[in-house]
């Protein structure tokens, strides 16, 4: 039976601005892909990321370039050779997963051996970049959640971190400079991060400069984010990293993300699951990685003014799975 593919851009305004060292977001600009076969429709979403030279229009153009192949029956594995890793491939891959599971009368939990029903997951709740006082106020509202992620830059990370920890003494904490630090900050802030009980430092150095982490014995576990996209990147990853942050938009879909998770664990690396600012249609497929991750950062939809119907919900730092039938046959 023939397939029909559609791809369109959608905009989801945020309830409050999201600030990191690279700028401010006020909306999630996504590309939604649907692939229909008979009366079954698979859905996928991606978030084109300017950091990687991506845009909504560019991702749609990439998807249109493989329309004929997908409509003629290209598989998810075929897609790995048809499109490069990135947002466009993610949306198509996840739509194919959704369609395949619906056609098979199965679901992603059964296909991947996940525990059923899906259980709530503790997700990092983000404190956006701001003045230390403002970050402290934001952290106070999150003082009872299990995990906080703190966005910092080079202006005064020590003051930013102290303010957050003073306002939220209990949660585990991830610090994310978004590539804004130098090796001097990584080294000089080691003692403070130990004192403040930081659990994870995420991508402190620019990806093209992280060779300085080779041989660095950090007191704080360091996660690679921008430096790791697909399994092949593990061969050149500096040994200072102990965790890889897997994002479906970087890997180019759930298929490649699962490959990366398996390869990372085989090398003794921990796994973190992350996301862009997105709707729940990006989060539902990522659940398959998050269910067995040491750190989870999937609060993207919780920043939206309004999410897709039936999507994930948050409850004091716990992420509750989407409603039955939302994605993946669940």
């Amino acid at each position: 039976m023939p397939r029909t593919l559609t791809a369109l851009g959608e905009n989801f305004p945020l309830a409050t601005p999201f600030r990191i060292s690279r700028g401010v977001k006020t909306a999630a600009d996504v590309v939604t892909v649907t692939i229909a076969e008979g009366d079954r429709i698979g859905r996928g979403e991606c978030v084109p990321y300017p950091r990687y030279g991506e845009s909504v229009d560019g991702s749609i153009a990439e998807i249109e370039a493989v329309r004929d192949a997908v409509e003629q029956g290209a598989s998810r594995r075929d897609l790995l050779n048809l499109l490069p890793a990135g947002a466009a491939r993610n949306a198509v891959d996840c739509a194919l997963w959704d369609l395949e599971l619906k056609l098979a009368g199965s679901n992603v939990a059964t296909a991947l051996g996940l525990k059923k029903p899906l259980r709530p997951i503790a997700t990092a709740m983000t404190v956006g970049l701001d003045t230390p006082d403002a970050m402290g106020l934001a952290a106070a509202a999150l003082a009872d959640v299990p995990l906080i992620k703190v966005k910092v830059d080079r202006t005064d990370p020590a003051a930013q971190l102290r303010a957050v920890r003073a306002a939220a003494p209990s949660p585990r904490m991830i610090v994310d400079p978004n590539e804004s630090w130098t090796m001097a900050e990584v080294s000089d802030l080691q003692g403070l991060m130990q004192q403040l009980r930081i659990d994870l430092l995420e991508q402190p150095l620019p990806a093209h400069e992280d060779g300085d982490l080779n041989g660095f014995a950090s007191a704080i576990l360091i996660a690679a984010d921008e430096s790791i996209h697909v399994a092949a990147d593990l061969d050149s990853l500096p040994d200072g990293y102990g965790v890889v942050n897997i994002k479906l938009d970087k890997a180019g879909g759930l298929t490649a993300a699962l490959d990366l998770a398996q390869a990372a664990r085989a090398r003794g690396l921990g796994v973190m699951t992350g996301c862009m600012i997105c709707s729940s249609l990006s989060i539902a497929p990522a659940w398959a990685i998050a269910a067995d991750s040491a750190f989870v950062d999937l609060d993207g939809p919780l920043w939206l003014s309004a999410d897709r119907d039936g999507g994930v919900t948050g409850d004091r730092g716990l992420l509750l799975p989407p409603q039955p039938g939302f994605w993946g046959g669940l």
Side-chain angles (χ1 to χ4, degrees):
M1 187 174 294
R3 294 175 176 172
T4 303
L5 180 152
T6 62
L8 72 154
E10 295 189 85
N11 177 277
F12 292 86
L14 305 191
T16 57
F18 182 82
R19 292 181 175 87
I20 65 172
S21 62
R22 278 194 289 270
V24 182
K25 286 183 71 73
T26 57
D29 293 304
V30 311
V31 175
T32 305
V33 168
T34 60
I35 304 174
E37 184 172 327
D39 62 353
R40 305 291 185 180
I41 298 175
R43 299 188 302 160
E45 176 186 287
C46 70
V47 183
Y49 200 34
R51 164 67 177 79
Y52 305 128
E54 297 172 336
S55 67
V56 168
D57 288 344
S59 293
I60 291 175
E62 285 188 76
I63 294 165
E64 290 294 338
V66 299
R67 168 193 293 279
D68 288 348
V70 173
E71 291 186 340
Q72 291 169 18
S75 69
R76 291 182 288 104
R77 288 290 168 187
D78 293 333
L79 197 64
L80 297 178
N81 297 317
L82 293 172
L83 283 173
R89 193 173 77 188
N90 178 34
V92 180
D93 177 82
C94 289
L96 285 172
W97 269 97
D98 192 24
L99 177 63
E100 289 171 15
L101 290 165
K102 287 175 178 175
L103 289 171
S106 184
N107 58 70
V108 70
T110 299
L112 298 178
L114 306 180
K115 293 180 181 178
K116 296 185 291 183
L118 295 181
R119 300 176 181 178
I121 293 176
T123 182
M125 300 296 290
T126 304
V127 175
L129 179 63
D130 211 319
T131 64
D133 287 346
M135 292 174 70
L137 287 174
L142 301 173
D144 295 326
V145 305
L147 179 63
I148 287 177
K149 181 171 180 175
V150 187
K151 295 289 189 177
V152 299
D153 59 9
R154 292 192 68 199
T155 56
D156 195 350
Q160 294 163 345
L161 294 176
R162 285 192 181 102
V164 171
R165 180 51 89 194
S170 299
R172 299 168 71 210
M173 191 177 295
I174 301 169
V175 175
D176 186 6
N178 283 108
E179 302 182 278
S180 66
W181 285 4
T182 65
M183 197 61 203
E185 275 97 18
V186 176
S187 180
D188 293 348
L189 290 167
Q190 291 276 302
L192 177 64
M193 288 190 287
Q194 284 183 287
Q195 177 188 335
L196 298 180
R197 295 176 285 110
I198 304 304
D199 292 89
L200 187 69
L201 175 61
E202 184 180 348
Q203 192 71 44
L205 304 180
H208 66 280
E209 297 177 7
D210 67 356
D212 290 342
L213 291 174
N214 272 315
F216 181 67
S218 177
I220 306 298
L221 196 61
I222 302 179
D225 181 3
E226 287 84 355
S227 291
I228 185 79
H229 292 239
V230 295
D233 296 334
L234 291 168
D235 291 336
S236 57
L237 196 68
D239 60 15
Y241 289 118
V243 173
V244 295
N245 186 356
I246 299 177
K247 294 176 180 174
L248 271 60
D249 276 311
K250 291 188 304 175
L254 178 57
T255 303
L258 289 166
D259 290 345
L260 172 55
Q262 181 180 22
R265 291 189 176 107
R267 295 180 184 228
L269 294 167
V271 169
M272 174 180 179
T273 305
C275 69
M276 309 301 184
I277 300 297
C278 58
S279 88
S280 285
L281 189 53
S282 284
I283 300 303
W287 207 284
I289 307 292
D292 192 28
S293 288
F295 297 92
V296 174
D297 179 23
L298 295 181
D299 68 339
L302 305 184
W303 287 82
L304 304 183
S305 295
D307 193 6
R308 299 181 192 269
D309 291 342
V312 302
T313 53
D315 180 18
R316 293 168 292 180
L318 291 180
L319 196 68
L320 282 63
Q323 296 298 306
F326 182 79
W327 183 90
L330 293 171

